[in-house]
Amino acid sequence: MNLESAAVLTAPPARTGARTLGVGLLVALIAFAVLVPLLWQGDIARQDYLAILATPNGTYPLGTDHLGRDMLARLSVALRFSLGLAFISVCTAAIPGLLLGILAAWKGGWVDKLLGGVAELFLAVPGLLLVLLIVAVFPGSFVALYSAVALVLWVEYFRMTRALSRTVLASSAVSASQLLGFGPVYIVRRHLWPQLAPVLLTIAAFGAASTIMAIAALGFVSIGVRPPTAELGLMITELLPYYAEAPFVIALPICAIFLTVLALLLITGGRKP
């Protein structure tokens, strides 16, 4: 039995149920984002001036926005954008953070101090402020937005990996493997990864939730992606002046952000990394 299986068997029923609910909710959101463009041929840019701020009907199942654009199509694209960017940013941050953390713990000495100093430099600037600075220099750039988020996230993976790797590498089990002639790949696969995986997956879930919130916040203050791109925060900003006339329409992107972040936090089981 591996460590993940043991963790599932020993986890309290409430925590296991929360994770199951979170996974189910996330799968439903991903299915909505992926399947709607395949099943519903709505144009996110087409404007119907005869159906501005329309309530849900047969033509527009989720109504329309202030320009008469299909909210069902735009919401699916916005969800796909946020989830896709969160996934790419988390993966891009996790890989260097994991590798550099293992390298720092394995080599120690000046390598550890150098990499630790670089991580401290990133921690000296608040994460959201760093994202704002980069995005402000390159406004409307998808690459800048993605790179800024990844730069903020990698530090957590590095610090946690380095701390756990130090403990594992100092264990007698690793010493025995080294005496038997096993190389670094075997030690990482057999000793380090089973200990790192549960913690890194928890950090990844929190990181994805933070990414989605950051993207929405940047869109809300009109610093992230630019119109007519369908993005949840930007949609809220555009619809905010019409909240009294069409509260249901503005509630859609708000609920999408809430449900996505809730799903990711439930997957962590309420456990902080």
Side-chain angles (χ1 to χ4, degrees):
M1 179 185 299
N2 55 32
L3 291 178
E4 293 185 8
S5 300
V8 172
L9 292 177
T10 57
R15 178 175 295 179
T16 303
R19 289 177 178 173
T20 302
L21 177 61
V23 171
L25 184 57
L26 184 61
V27 169
L29 290 169
I30 294 174
F32 174 83
V34 173
L35 295 179
V36 165
L38 300 177
L39 302 177
W40 181 257
Q41 301 301 321
D43 186 354
I44 65 170
R46 180 178 176 272
Q47 300 178 8
D48 185 355
Y49 294 114
L50 297 178
I52 291 178
L53 297 177
T55 56
N57 54 66
T59 305
Y60 303 106
L62 292 182
T64 61
D65 65 3
H66 62 298
L67 295 177
R69 295 174 296 190
D70 188 354
M71 283 297 294
L72 177 63
R74 290 183 63 79
L75 194 64
S76 66
V77 171
L79 262 176
R80 193 161 65 250
F81 175 83
S82 296
L83 290 171
L85 186 58
F87 177 77
I88 295 174
S89 299
V90 165
C91 290
T92 305
I95 293 173
L98 173 65
L99 297 178
L100 293 176
I102 293 175
L103 178 64
W106 199 299
K107 295 296 184 180
W110 68 269
V111 175
D112 185 27
K113 292 180 180 179
L114 176 63
L115 294 176
V118 173
E120 294 296 332
L121 287 176
F122 281 92
L123 288 175
V125 181
L128 186 57
L129 178 59
L130 180 61
V131 174
L132 286 171
L133 290 174
I134 296 176
V135 174
V137 175
F138 304 98
S141 172
F142 169 81
V143 176
L145 180 60
Y146 145 72
S147 302
V149 174
L151 283 175
V152 171
L153 292 179
W154 80 273
V155 178
E156 289 300 323
Y157 295 96
F158 168 78
R159 297 177 67 199
M160 189 62 66
T161 300
R162 181 177 62 170
L164 290 176
S165 297
R166 283 175 174 172
T167 302
V168 176
L169 292 174
S171 65
S172 58
V174 173
S175 299
S177 296
Q178 291 173 335
L179 290 175
L180 291 172
F182 291 108
V185 175
Y186 175 85
I187 293 175
V188 171
R189 179 175 58 84
R190 180 66 178 83
H191 299 287
L192 285 176
W193 179 247
Q195 300 294 329
L196 294 173
V199 177
L200 294 183
L201 290 176
T202 300
I203 297 176
F206 276 103
S210 299
T211 300
I212 291 172
M213 293 293 292
I215 295 170
L218 293 173
F220 185 77
V221 297
S222 302
I223 297 180
V225 294
R226 300 295 178 86
T229 304
E231 191 275 321
L232 296 173
L234 185 59
M235 291 171 66
I236 296 174
T237 302
E238 293 177 336
L239 293 169
L240 190 58
Y242 311 98
Y243 72 92
E245 293 87 346
F248 173 78
V249 176
I250 194 175
L252 292 175
I254 295 175
C255 290
I257 296 173
F258 172 77
L259 292 176
T260 305
V261 174
L262 176 64
L264 291 168
L265 295 182
L266 286 175
I267 289 174
T268 67
R271 178 166 59 93
K272 294 185 178 181

